[in-house]
């Protein structure tokens, strides 16, 4: 048995596990590097330890100090556990949509957690990076980890992840696949592997479909921790310094659906419980493996465990509510409320008058019998967007009422012409909808709004039933 002299020594040395079942029928050997075996449960433990050690050496963090970071979770968990072990206070700013399991973990390690708005331009003071920076600036003894630009982040992987893979494959690795958040994992590991193999190892970035890294439109996504979304009001697109794009030979883009369903497959077919970005990387590795032969060895990074996502990707109800599963009973599901195929909803850009908004719809030939249009300010004119990107759902009636009172009034979807809406999966049973007759519904297919509908009727009157049976306890 291997003895580790402290918790910090239990970071790294993660195993490579051959994927026998998922790799069946594929010619190369595929190994998964199980980064959830790090003591804090993710690949980010390595970067957290490395960044804290570097800060100590540079005199930026000293006894009694506070570790601060804006993070979608895993870096915060790594920082919190290293801080706990070394006696620092830790304060983490996390997006409100972060999996509850990760928020609870942060608190379990004693971190103070501040949840911040999810979809905020990078330049806005409310953006998580700016909130964390402002907090650090105003707190004596505080050190901001800045994982996106901190060279100690990729350096951790150059010093440990890369050498481990090289050693454990006896120099036999030919392809390295990883998802990209800060880029620390892929850049540091690739730097080592490229050098060790004299440039022979091919480096593949597995990227969520909408991520800007791989050429996507920057739209919001479901996998947490990887990919690069771009808020439409962001003034510039700043890529992390930790991400050395020169080292990437190829991007493979993976949809949210494929990421999530691949993670679920890994649990059920391989017995390997992995997170969403692991699903992204694994889906890319499997796609890549189809092009390769027996002479190749693929290593794919599994950044964290599915235990962090039991209430989301692995929860059947969640899957249905986000439109990722096919309706069990199509005739009784939300899909049956739609007049036609769910092919996307007309989108109105910001910055118009109400009169122009109507003209715009007419110009685009929008079907005026649709229950609603969506307002957001990305350039797309028709399409399927993530509900987080929508500032309002707008009905023709509300636009007509506004234009009657003042055609030159600014089109102000959230304030005036918008109507509240509920997001429901296309496979959600109509009987399960909230009891608001006529409510506007944004219908999700694969997590994106692909149609709008109205709830046709109020559900059964359950007000006479005992409270517990209505789920109120
Ligand atoms: N997957 C998950 C679940 C993560 O939390 C992260 C870190 N944000 C990554 C992948 C990407 O790692 P890196 O920041 O090293 O690119």
């Amino acid at each position: 048995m291997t003895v580790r002299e402290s918790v910090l020594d239990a970071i790294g040395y993660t195993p490579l596990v051959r994927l026998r079942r998922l790799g069946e029928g594929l010619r190369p050997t595929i190994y998964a590097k199980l980064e959830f075996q790090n003591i804090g449960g993710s690949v980010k433990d390595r970067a957290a330890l490395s960044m804290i050690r570097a800060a100590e050496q540079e005199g930026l963090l000293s006894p009694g100090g506070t570790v601060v970071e804006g993070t979608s979770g895993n870096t915060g968990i790594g920082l919190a556990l290293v801080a706990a072990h070394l006696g620092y206070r830790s304060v983490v700013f996390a997006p409100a949509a972060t999996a509850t399991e990760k928020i609870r973990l942060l608190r379990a390690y004693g971190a103070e957690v501040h949840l911040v708005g999810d979809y905020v331009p990078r330049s806005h003071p409310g953006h998580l990076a700016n909130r964390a920076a402002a907090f650090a600036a105003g707190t004596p003894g505080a050190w901001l980890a800045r994982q996106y630009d901190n060279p100690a982040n990729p350096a951790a992987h150059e010093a440990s992840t890369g050498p481990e893979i090289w050693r454990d494959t006896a120099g036999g690795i030919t392809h390295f696949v990883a998802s990209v958040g800060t880029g620390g994992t892929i850049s540091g590991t690739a730097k080592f592997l490229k050098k060790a193999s004299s440039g022979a190892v091919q480096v593949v970035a597995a990227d969520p479909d909408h991520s800007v890294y791989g050429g996507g439109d920057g739209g919001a996504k479901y996998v947490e921790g990887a990919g690069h979304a771009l808020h439409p009001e962001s003034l510039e697109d700043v890529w992390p310094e930790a991400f050395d794009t020169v080292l990437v030979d190829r991007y493979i883009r993976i949809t949210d659906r494929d990421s999530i369903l691949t993670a679920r497959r890994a649990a059920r077919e391989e017995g390997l419980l992995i997170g969403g970005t692991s699903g992204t990387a694994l889906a890319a590795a499997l796609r890549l493996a189809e092009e390769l032969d027996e002479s190749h060895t693929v290593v794919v990074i599994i950044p964290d465990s599915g235990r962090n996502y039991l209430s989301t990707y692995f929860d059947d109800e969640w899957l249905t509510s986000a439109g990722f599963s096919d309706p069990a009973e199509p005739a009784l599901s939300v899909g049956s409320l739609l007049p036609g195929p769910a092919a996307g909803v007309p989108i109105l850009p910001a910055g118009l008058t109400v009169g122009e908004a109507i003209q715009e719809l007419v110009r685009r030939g929008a079907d005026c019998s649709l229950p609603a249009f969506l307002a957001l300010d990305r350039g797309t004119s028709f399409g399927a967007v993530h509900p987080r990107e929508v500032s309002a759902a707008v009905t023709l009636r509300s636009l007509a009422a506004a234009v009657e009172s003042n055609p030159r009034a600014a089109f102000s979807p959230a304030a005036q012409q918008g109507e509240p809406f509920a997001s429901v999966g296309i496979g959600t049973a109509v009987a399960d909808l909230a009891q608001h007759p006529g409510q506007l519904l944004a219908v999700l297919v694969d997590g994106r709004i692909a149609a709008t509908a109205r709830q046709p009727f109020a559900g059964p009157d359950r007000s006479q039933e005992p409270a517990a049976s209505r789920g109120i306890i």
Side-chain angles (χ1 to χ4, degrees):
M1 204 174 87
T2 313
V3 175
R4 309 268 189 244
E5 290 303 324
S6 86
V7 158
L8 303 187
D9 292 327
I11 294 175
Y13 316 103
T14 55
L16 284 186
V17 171
R18 184 158 177 190
L19 300 181
R20 296 261 175 203
R21 296 289 311 279
L22 293 168
E24 253 170 52
L26 293 166
R27 291 181 297 169
T29 305
I30 308 173
Y31 288 114
K33 185 154 174 72
L34 305 187
E35 286 298 302
F36 59 74
Q37 296 276 40
N38 283 297
I39 193 95
S42 90
V43 69
K44 299 304 296 200
D45 290 356
R46 298 179 191 258
L49 176 60
S50 165
M51 291 190 293
I52 286 183
R53 285 302 191 209
E56 288 174 331
Q57 271 159 25
E58 289 163 30
L60 302 172
L61 181 64
S62 22
T66 302
V67 173
V68 185
E69 184 61 323
T71 146
S72 67
N74 284 329
T75 304
I77 292 165
L79 289 169
L81 84 89
V82 176
H85 188 79
L86 298 175
Y88 300 116
R89 176 186 172 208
S90 58
V91 179
V92 167
F93 290 79
T98 305
T100 47
E101 290 90 336
K102 285 195 218 159
I103 305 289
R104 288 177 181 212
L105 277 167
L106 283 165
R107 295 199 169 116
Y109 283 113
E112 294 165 42
V113 184
H114 300 270
L115 295 180
V116 301
D118 286 305
Y119 200 58
V120 177
R122 179 66 179 80
S123 52
H124 192 280
H127 187 277
L128 124 138
N130 301 329
R131 287 281 306 276
F135 180 88
T139 307
W143 162 76
L144 183 64
R146 296 172 57 252
Q147 57 168 331
Y148 283 86
D149 300 319
N150 191 329
N153 166 11
H157 299 284
E158 189 182 352
S160 64
T161 319
E164 288 171 27
I165 293 172
W166 189 251
R167 185 196 61 215
D168 291 346
T169 59
I173 176 175
T174 57
H175 293 77
F176 174 65
V177 183
S179 55
V180 185
T182 63
T185 306
I186 200 163
S187 308
T189 310
K191 194 168 173 193
F192 179 90
L193 293 175
K194 287 267 185 202
K195 204 167 165 195
S197 66
S198 305
V201 170
Q202 291 295 292
V203 175
V204 176
D207 208 33
D209 214 16
H210 288 268
S211 165
V212 183
Y213 289 148
D217 62 9
K221 59 197 161 42
Y222 281 79
V223 292
E224 282 174 31
H228 185 57
L230 187 62
H231 192 282
E233 286 160 36
S234 293
L235 300 175
E236 52 176 338
D237 180 15
V238 184
W239 285 30
E241 282 174 31
F243 184 23
D244 188 352
T245 54
V246 170
L247 295 165
V248 175
D249 294 296
R250 175 175 172 188
Y251 290 86
I252 296 184
R253 290 166 65 181
I254 304 292
T255 61
D256 281 318
R257 180 187 178 86
D258 278 353
S259 295
I260 293 167
L261 296 188
T262 304
R264 289 170 66 98
R265 251 187 87 199
R268 289 165 188 216
E269 292 177 28
E270 191 79 46
L272 187 63
L273 189 63
I274 64 175
T277 60
S278 308
T280 311
L282 184 52
L286 295 175
R287 201 176 295 172
L288 172 74
E290 284 173 14
E291 304 168 10
L292 305 178
D293 62 32
E294 291 77 3
S295 68
H296 296 114
T297 299
V298 179
V299 174
V300 53
I301 293 280
I302 302 297
D304 72 353
S305 159
R307 282 180 196 238
N308 288 338
Y309 311 98
L310 293 179
S311 62
T312 51
Y313 316 138
F314 293 96
D315 183 82
D316 289 347
E317 252 176 57
W318 180 91
L319 208 67
T320 303
S321 71
F324 286 113
S325 53
D326 298 326
E329 292 185 83
L332 303 176
S333 71
V334 166
S336 69
L337 304 177
L338 306 179
V345 180
I347 289 163
L348 286 168
L352 307 174
T353 65
V354 183
E356 286 167 342
I358 294 179
Q359 278 171 7
E360 186 65 17
L361 287 175
V362 173
R363 193 179 64 78
R364 292 192 201 152
D367 177 354
C368 292
S369 67
L370 289 177
F373 315 103
L374 304 175
L376 78 170
D377 25 27
R378 264 198 298 125
T380 346
S381 56
F382 262 84
V385 293
H386 192 297
R388 206 182 296 156
E389 297 171 281
V390 175
S391 49
V394 181
T395 63
L396 206 58
R397 190 185 298 171
S398 66
L399 284 178
V403 82
E404 216 164 274
S405 56
N406 177 10
R408 288 172 183 274
F411 169 53
S412 170
Q416 301 158 4
Q417 297 99 6
E419 184 178 323
F421 66 91
S423 299
V424 294
I426 194 162
T428 300
V430 174
D432 287 350
L433 299 178
Q435 299 175 16
H436 299 295
Q439 185 181 26
L440 193 53
L441 305 172
V443 181
L444 303 181
V445 175
D446 291 343
R448 308 189 96 75
I449 304 176
T452 53
R454 286 217 179 259
Q455 194 213 357
F457 57 83
D461 181 6
R462 299 174 67 191
S463 56
Q464 302 308 313
E465 294 175 23
S469 71
R470 282 184 275 139
I472 305 165
I473 34 175

